[in-house]
Amino acid sequence: MSTYARLPVSFERGEGAWLWDTTGKKYLDALSGVAVCGLGHAHPAVAEAVCDQARRLVHTSNIYGIAKQQELAERLATLSGLDKAFFCNSGAEANEAAIKLARLYGHKQGITVPTIVVAENSFHGRTLATLTATGSRKAQAGFEPLVRGFLRVAYNDLEALQTIAKNSPDVVAVLLEPIQGEGGVNVPDDDYLAGVRALCDQQGWLMMLDEVQTGMGRTGKWFAFQHSAIVPDVMTLAKGLANGVPIGACLARGEAAEVFKPGNHATTFGGNPLACSAALAVLDVIEKNDLTARAAAVGDRIVDRLCDRLINCEGAECKIVDDIRSLGLMIGIELDRPCGALVAKALEQGLLINVTAERVIRLLPPLIISDQEADQIADSVAELVIAFARDSGA
Ligand SMILES: Cc1ncc(COP(=O)(O)O)c(C=O)c1O
């Protein structure tokens, strides 16, 4: 179906941060399949884990014990400080699990219309409930009636949440991205998540963080909440978890981890041996190569270089760049005008980037990029912006 306005390119091979299209042209990937292939393309450890598992056992069913799933849950619990995991196949499904968990948690306390607070400009997926949670009228238009039980607040605004706490007794949870990805790489104030945590504790709300894009080392920690010295009650993961093999996870701790009972929630494919083997290989590689620290360092390197070229200068380009926001390898360059056309221009030059929220160039390179590749990304993006400023008469 025509659900995608696809770019005129198709790739047939990848290695590390590089892709080759069907004509043999080579591209530097500064997007990683939108924050999925954190280890780059065709990583040998993931390939080996998938091949090895496929030769032994791909799928049984969640009717039976799955040793690899158990192992993955334990590893993620140790890394995150949460207690238990439910595995599914995508980010939207992980958030659906979180939404259902919060509703059940509310009903168990006698709240008949349990309500979840979500943020403006958020993105949580395309299923009906996650689309309702998503703060984009454009994404929602035409799919009404949407789902009941959500309240929207401005992102990074603790006062707005406090007002809800005073006026809305049916709230059971808050669902937020620690950094908004699709919404424009919006990095909240340093004390925002700690403030949300304190309010959730005071109100008995579940603090639920959507780390589908920010998780798995991308921001320089395993999970973005770890920059804030807090632990959420519920966290969702997907994208980078198995480097492109479809998997999602909803983790929870304490009371939240005990909400679901047999029969409350399920999936056929979720957490099967194949996907879990790929995810376990991803965890090993991130750990062995300290890729969280690497993401922090190389992200700073790219941003410093971008700032030198695009912020600390006298040229026209510096007038069109409103802001550069980042944490680790999640980088947004906000221009003062729509810049979607830059995606095709970059592609022509052999570079994969993305533009989100109309005016924000988004870079999500693999965590394994070399310094040289990082410099190439920064220089190419700077050149694109400089040419764009010149061509659009800044
Ligand atoms: C923060 C966040 N949550 C949820 C999703 C949805 O994930 P999926 O496309 O795997 O359903 C995305 C996808 O971009 C995302 O960025």
Side-chain angles (χ1 to χ4, degrees):
M1 295 186 192
S2 310
T3 50
Y4 305 100
R6 295 184 199 271
L7 289 159
V9 66
S10 173
F11 302 106
E12 64 176 13
R13 188 167 70 83
E15 197 183 316
W18 297 89
L19 283 165
W20 284 261
D21 74 11
T22 43
T23 70
K25 183 176 165 187
K26 189 179 174 189
Y27 300 79
L28 181 53
D29 187 357
L31 194 58
S32 312
V34 196
V36 169
C37 302
L39 307 190
H41 301 284
H43 193 286
V46 179
E48 206 175 296
V50 168
C51 291
D52 185 48
Q53 189 61 47
R55 275 191 216 100
R56 277 185 296 141
L57 191 65
V58 170
H59 177 88
T60 49
S61 164
N62 280 303
I63 295 171
Y64 313 108
I66 301 174
K68 295 276 179 188
Q69 188 186 114
Q70 183 68 33
E71 189 184 341
L72 180 58
E74 281 165 16
R75 295 270 301 268
L76 289 173
T78 303
L79 289 169
S80 66
L82 283 86
D83 297 328
K84 294 194 176 183
F86 169 82
F87 291 100
C88 50
N89 313 286
S90 68
E93 273 180 87
N95 287 330
E96 283 278 344
I99 290 164
K100 286 180 70 178
L101 187 157
R103 285 186 165 196
L104 205 51
Y105 170 81
H107 280 290
K108 286 186 173 165
Q109 295 169 13
I111 298 174
T112 49
V113 187
T115 300
I116 299 170
V117 181
V118 289
E120 285 167 12
N121 299 315
S122 61
F123 188 86
H124 298 294
R126 301 282 193 159
T127 59
L128 269 177
T130 59
L131 181 67
T132 307
T134 289
S136 160
R137 276 304 301 146
K138 203 170 137 201
Q140 292 171 342
F143 298 106
E144 299 83 1
L146 297 173
V147 176
R148 292 169 68 202
F150 291 93
L151 261 181
R152 195 165 304 286
V153 284
Y155 187 64
N156 194 25
D157 184 344
L158 271 178
E159 271 178 34
L161 269 181
Q162 278 152 0
T163 305
I164 285 185
K166 278 194 207 108
N167 302 328
S168 309
D170 287 344
V171 171
V172 293
V174 179
L175 173 64
L176 295 169
E177 293 155 88
I179 297 173
Q180 291 187 325
E182 305 299 306
V185 191
N186 302 321
V187 184
D189 296 340
D190 286 346
D191 57 356
Y192 178 60
L193 291 183
V196 175
R197 177 70 272 178
L199 191 62
C200 286
D201 288 342
Q202 179 197 306
Q203 295 297 120
W205 298 345
L206 297 179
M207 180 178 187
M208 309 204 295
L209 291 181
D210 177 344
E211 294 243 16
V212 166
Q213 191 163 144
T214 51
M216 303 310 295
R218 175 137 304 274
T219 70
K221 302 263 186 200
W222 277 98
F223 311 106
F225 75 76
Q226 291 168 333
H227 292 279
S228 298
I230 54 126
V231 184
D233 300 299
V234 176
M235 169 177 73
T236 55
L237 296 174
K239 287 189 180 283
L241 182 50
N243 215 50
V245 177
I247 188 168
C250 174
L251 283 96
R253 75 180 172 109
E255 219 184 317
E258 306 303 328
V259 168
F260 283 141
K261 300 285 179 241
N264 285 146
H265 198 50
T267 159
T268 295
F269 293 125
N272 78 14
L274 189 75
C276 291
S277 295
L280 285 165
V282 168
L283 296 186
D284 286 344
V285 174
I286 294 179
E287 232 159 42
K288 271 191 203 128
N289 299 283
D290 201 6
L291 289 181
T292 51
R294 175 71 190 151
V298 81
D300 286 349
R301 184 183 178 103
I302 293 176
V303 169
D304 286 349
R305 216 163 159 108
L306 285 170
C307 286
D308 282 347
R309 299 286 300 274
L310 298 176
I311 300 263
N312 312 322
C313 74
E314 299 281 302
E317 61 276 16
C318 299
K319 292 199 200 90
I320 75 163
V321 177
D322 275 352
D323 198 10
I324 298 183
R325 297 183 288 271
S326 70
L327 197 58
L329 279 172
M330 193 163 174
I331 301 168
I333 304 144
E334 181 168 343
L335 304 191
D336 67 355
R337 61 201 68 193
C339 58
L342 285 178
V343 172
K345 286 218 155 50
L347 190 71
E348 266 170 40
Q349 294 173 20
L351 177 71
L352 304 188
I353 59 166
N354 171 249
V355 167
T356 191
E358 285 191 354
R359 298 191 287 120
V360 182
I361 302 167
R362 182 171 44 159
L363 307 178
L364 300 161
L367 317 185
I368 47 84
I369 48 167
S370 65
D371 287 349
Q372 199 192 354
E373 289 160 346
D375 293 349
Q376 190 173 335
I377 290 170
D379 291 346
S380 305
V381 170
E383 290 304 325
L384 278 165
V385 173
I386 290 166
F388 186 64
R390 205 188 312 117
D391 296 346
S392 56

